Amino acid sequence: MADPVTEQISARTDRQRAREDPAEWPVAAQRLVEDAVGKRIPFGTLYKDQKTIVIFLRHFLCYVCKEYVEDLGKIPKKFLQDANVRLVVIGQSAHHHIRPFCNLTGYPHEIYVDPQREIYEILGMKRGESSSSAVHSPHVKSSWLSGSIKSMWRAMISPAFDFQGDPAQQGGTFILGPGDEIHFVHLDQNRLDHIPINTVLQLAGVEIVDFTYRSQIIDI
């Protein structure tokens, strides 16, 4: 297996670095996320008692997010349990989109939404994309064209032509907890600037997964 890609695509802005200041975390921890039935819980409870990988997605119709989450779904629960690590995905749609998205991707782990994008904003996740170069992603199987067509089709057949979140919103990856511990922060610069899953697992002390398909270079 090839070594995981660990390089950040581009430097973070001063604004983003400021939002990584620990002073922002108590504010974010108090904001509420919603589960698949609309139950609201404070974000901070997700990582209060154990180390937690938290992955914020762009939006549920994003083909890159879909294919990334499909691979997150391949992480055996036993790997997480053995390492005493929790895995949480957070989107920015209404909560009623959670179950269809999990059915589509086969994702079996925890997932919540931040519909007003309050946590996204507090933690400095950006809107818009800042790189137009070709980016290597070990998790994206679709080309830009085919992926975009699939995303548009899913939007067209969803209620009220719903994009299931702000299409300009970028995500990020965090390893947090227990308590106030902040182990790792990565703020995505564009749709393909997510951290390879095995890199995240290694950083969190979780056994890596054998992804057997061939990765691609995708133009954005």
Side-chain angles (χ1 to χ4, degrees):
M1 181 184 300
D3 292 336
V5 179
T6 59
E7 183 178 356
Q8 175 91 350
I9 288 176
S10 59
R12 297 173 182 146
T13 65
D14 289 339
R15 174 178 176 274
Q16 288 171 324
R17 283 194 292 269
R19 292 303 179 89
E20 293 169 23
D21 189 296
E24 299 290 346
W25 287 92
V27 179
Q30 295 174 17
R31 294 297 189 266
L32 301 177
V33 293
E34 300 178 15
D35 67 11
V37 297
K39 180 181 178 181
R40 307 176 77 192
I41 62 171
F43 173 58
T45 63
L46 300 178
Y47 54 88
K48 177 182 178 182
D49 297 324
Q50 69 185 117
K51 184 183 291 185
T52 303
I53 299 167
V54 183
I55 297 175
F56 287 83
L57 303 180
R58 294 181 68 241
H59 57 91
F60 286 165
L61 285 184
C62 169
Y63 74 92
V64 172
C65 296
K66 171 186 172 291
E67 295 179 5
Y68 189 79
V69 172
E70 285 174 344
D71 280 0
L72 287 174
K74 297 174 183 176
I75 301 172
K77 290 186 177 182
K78 186 177 187 302
F79 286 12
L80 297 168
Q81 292 167 352
D82 288 349
N84 192 28
V85 171
R86 194 172 181 178
L87 173 61
V88 173
V89 163
I90 295 179
Q92 44 136 343
S93 74
H95 71 266
H96 62 264
H97 290 301
I98 290 178
R99 282 179 176 161
F101 184 70
C102 289
N103 291 337
L104 179 68
T105 58
Y107 176 79
H109 308 294
E110 293 181 76
I111 184 167
Y112 300 87
V113 291
D114 173 21
Q116 303 304 317
R117 297 184 294 280
E118 292 181 312
I119 302 168
Y120 283 81
E121 171 64 21
I122 292 169
L123 298 185
M125 282 169 273
K126 64 174 292 178
R127 294 184 71 255
E129 302 191 69
S130 61
S131 174
S132 59
S133 60
V135 179
H136 177 80
S137 173
H139 303 290
V140 178
K141 286 76 74 178
S142 298
S143 68
W144 177 86
L145 179 60
S146 66
S148 298
I149 291 172
K150 292 173 186 176
S151 294
M152 183 60 69
W153 175 249
R154 288 172 55 212
M156 291 173 64
I157 63 176
S158 66
F161 200 73
D162 185 358
F163 274 96
Q164 302 180 26
D166 180 355
Q169 180 66 58
Q170 303 303 315
T173 299
F174 303 80
I175 302 176
L176 310 171
D180 297 331
E181 293 286 332
I182 303 171
H183 304 278
F184 177 78
V185 173
H186 174 92
L187 304 179
D188 298 346
Q189 300 300 300
N190 58 59
R191 72 192 71 184
L192 289 169
D193 187 31
H194 45 245
I195 297 293
I197 292 170
N198 277 333
T199 299
V200 179
L201 295 179
Q202 287 176 325
L203 290 168
V206 179
E207 184 176 347
I208 63 174
V209 176
D210 182 13
F211 299 110
T212 57
Y213 57 77
R214 187 175 180 180
S215 59
Q216 304 179 47
I217 298 292
I218 307 293
D219 290 329
I220 61 172

